Amino acid sequence: VITAQAIFIGFFGMAAVWFGVVVFRTFSMVRSAIALLFSQTALGAMFLTMQAEFLGVLQIMMMATEMSIMAIFMVMFMMDPGGGCCFYMMLFYDILRAFTRRKRVT
Amino acid sequence: MTVMLVLLLLIIGIYFVAVLEAWIASGRFQLATPVYSALSLLGRESIIPRKSDLLFFEVGPVLLLIAALLAAAVIPLSPDLIIADLATGALFLNAALAYVLVALIMAGWGPNGAYAMIGGWRFLGQLVAYAMLIVMPITAVVMRAESLVTTDIVVSQVSLWNILYQPLGFVLFFIAAMGLAFLPPFDLPTAKGELAGGVEAEYSGVRLAVFRLGRMVLIITLAAATVTFYLGGWQGPLLPPWLWSAIKIMLVTAAMLLVGRYVPRIREAHLLAWCWKFGIPLALLNIFIVGILLVVIP
């Protein structure tokens, strides 16, 4: 039997996993931290749907400030917090271009 | 129905705040000011800065509005006039208001501008200062009410309003609420003189209108929270309950806006030092005093 509760738990669970994936897929430190925040918020929403109200609200409250403070530390310690010219990304593009360069047809 | 009524009251309140803010800023009392400024904002081009983090840039103002509205959902305007009477109301208010910080960081980081970014991170520093002073006075209020439900908190003040029962907590909460709403003495993220608008600097047109709207809802919500926690909520003689809460909320809003007119902007370092050296010990003292009062006078 699929109840509304199960659907919501599934939805928020998938949202949490998706934001967790985004944390590693983005090059921007701030985006990464905020994605982690929304992943945790989705977990809080799961607590709420499972009727653990206090735990859910607490999770949603704590994570907002914690992840924001983590974001500023990530910005401080990373050489390229915006991810605009990330070294590894440049390297990746160079390798990609080396393999996919079109030969000029004469 | 309840949602509609609360939203209607909220819109009237926002209009009032806009008039009051313009009055304090320009010295002229004009009832039509908000209409003019809204029309001019909506008519203008909303510029998107180059190389911006567009997602954050778009989401920031909207998240500010949503956070303020969610916080407003647990405020009782009368015994029945409350959108969500949660069992963890007082905590939920904090949870929703924590996202004001996230919204401001997003809005500060998004537009790829120096002033905006400094403004956004400044608000993070401001949070470190005010956050404890929001939570600790609420703890003392909740201790007296023996409940996190906001309606119960109002009912607990029937014999004596909390402003008289714990005046120290009221003062701390009032100051911290002004810090949260970044009202003039604490308007570090949007400092007009030094940061050229700060977080607001890169916004224009519709997005700026949404940002300003969210900020006004935030001010109203914090005034309503002050009324709920310290000024006896809807209680009062003769007039209907909702009118009493409306009057009190308006008075608190006016007081919050007026204080900023006469106090110079505080420095970030001073704010942090004073909040941690004086504010938090006083908040702990407040909890201690309330605890003793609750034991001695049941």
Side-chain angles (χ1 to χ4, degrees):
Chain A
V1 181
I2 297 171
T3 56
Q5 192 192 17
I7 292 171
F8 273 109
I9 288 176
F11 173 74
F12 287 125
M14 281 193 293
V17 171
W18 169 246
F19 278 118
V21 171
V22 169
V23 170
F24 295 101
R25 280 180 57 88
T26 179
F27 285 105
S28 164
M29 286 300 110
V30 180
R31 274 199 179 194
S32 175
I34 300 281
L36 192 54
L37 157 64
F38 282 116
S39 173
Q40 301 290 333
T41 308
L43 285 182
M46 278 176 85
F47 282 134
L48 286 181
T49 47
M50 288 187 271
Q51 294 169 354
E53 195 181 322
F54 186 80
L55 210 57
V57 173
L58 205 61
Q59 169 94 357
I60 291 172
M61 181 178 85
M62 301 297 282
M63 286 308 147
T65 48
E66 278 169 17
M67 292 304 156
S68 307
I69 287 169
M70 200 183 74
I72 198 170
F73 275 94
M74 282 157 76
V75 168
M76 276 195 290
F77 288 134
M78 296 301 281
M79 282 179 290
D80 178 27
C85 53
C86 174
F87 172 72
Y88 293 103
M89 198 167 79
M90 301 282 272
L91 198 69
F92 178 71
Y93 279 142
D94 281 352
I95 293 169
L96 205 69
R97 275 186 57 197
F99 280 107
T100 59
R101 183 173 295 158
R102 285 221 185 118
K103 297 284 191 313
R104 187 178 296 162
V105 183
T106 50
Chain B
M1 189 63 201
T2 316
V3 178
M4 286 298 163
L5 271 175
V6 172
L7 280 182
L8 185 70
L9 282 171
L10 206 61
I11 289 167
I12 296 169
I14 289 162
Y15 199 88
F16 174 81
V17 173
V19 169
L20 211 65
E21 219 173 9
W23 187 16
I24 283 169
S26 69
R28 278 174 298 176
F29 183 75
Q30 287 177 321
L31 278 174
T33 316
V35 179
Y36 288 144
S37 49
L39 279 177
S40 82
L41 276 182
L42 294 177
R44 253 177 248 165
E45 184 193 0
S46 190
I47 300 161
I48 297 172
R50 208 151 44 119
K51 285 194 172 179
S52 54
D53 194 332
L54 197 62
L55 191 66
F56 281 11
F57 189 65
E58 300 279 11
V59 170
V62 179
L63 186 62
L64 182 66
L65 186 59
I66 290 173
L69 281 176
L70 278 178
V74 293
I75 303 283
L77 294 174
S78 80
D80 311 319
L81 208 56
I82 175 169
I83 293 174
D85 199 2
L86 292 177
T88 53
L91 195 69
F92 182 84
L93 189 88
N94 281 309
L97 289 178
Y99 283 80
V100 171
L101 166 74
V102 179
L104 277 189
I105 284 179
M106 281 175 149
W109 181 263
N112 188 27
Y115 289 142
M117 195 191 72
I118 293 172
W121 293 128
R122 259 188 180 188
F123 193 69
L124 183 64
Q126 197 167 322
L127 167 115
V128 175
Y130 75 70
M132 282 294 131
L133 298 186
I134 291 272
V135 179
M136 284 180 171
I138 290 181
T139 310
V141 169
V142 167
M143 275 162 64
R144 189 184 174 202
E146 295 179 5
S147 165
L148 282 167
V149 184
T150 41
T151 44
D152 286 359
I153 288 173
V154 174
V155 171
S156 78
Q157 301 172 49
V158 170
S159 57
L160 188 66
W161 290 0
N162 270 338
I163 187 173
L164 299 173
Y165 193 84
Q166 31 187 314
L168 193 57
F170 170 75
V171 172
L172 292 172
F173 185 83
F174 191 82
I175 292 170
M178 287 177 71
L180 208 171
F182 45 107
L183 279 167
F186 309 106
D187 60 343
L188 295 167
T190 55
K192 277 272 151 48
E194 42 193 272
L195 281 187
V199 175
E200 285 181 0
E202 309 287 338
Y203 281 97
S204 51
V206 183
R207 296 185 179 87
L208 183 59
V210 173
F211 191 91
R212 293 247 171 97
L213 185 68
R215 204 264 182 103
M216 278 164 195
V217 177
L218 182 64
I219 295 171
I220 288 273
T221 306
L222 282 164
T226 315
V227 168
T228 307
F229 293 145
Y230 291 98
L231 294 170
W234 63 73
Q235 292 162 19
L238 295 174
L239 296 174
W242 64 269
L243 196 58
W244 266 115
S245 2
I247 291 170
K248 286 176 189 170
I249 290 170
M250 288 304 136
L251 284 176
V252 172
T253 313
M256 278 183 176
L257 287 169
L258 210 63
V259 168
R261 185 159 167 70
Y262 299 107
V263 185
R265 184 179 300 129
I266 196 168
R267 267 180 56 193
E268 179 98 47
H270 287 167
L271 177 64
L272 277 163
W274 292 341
C275 280
W276 280 86
K277 285 178 188 164
F278 305 118
I280 290 177
L282 283 177
L284 286 171
L285 183 71
N286 180 43
I287 292 177
F288 184 67
I289 293 172
V290 172
I292 288 179
L293 279 177
L294 284 173
V295 173
V296 175
I297 315 163

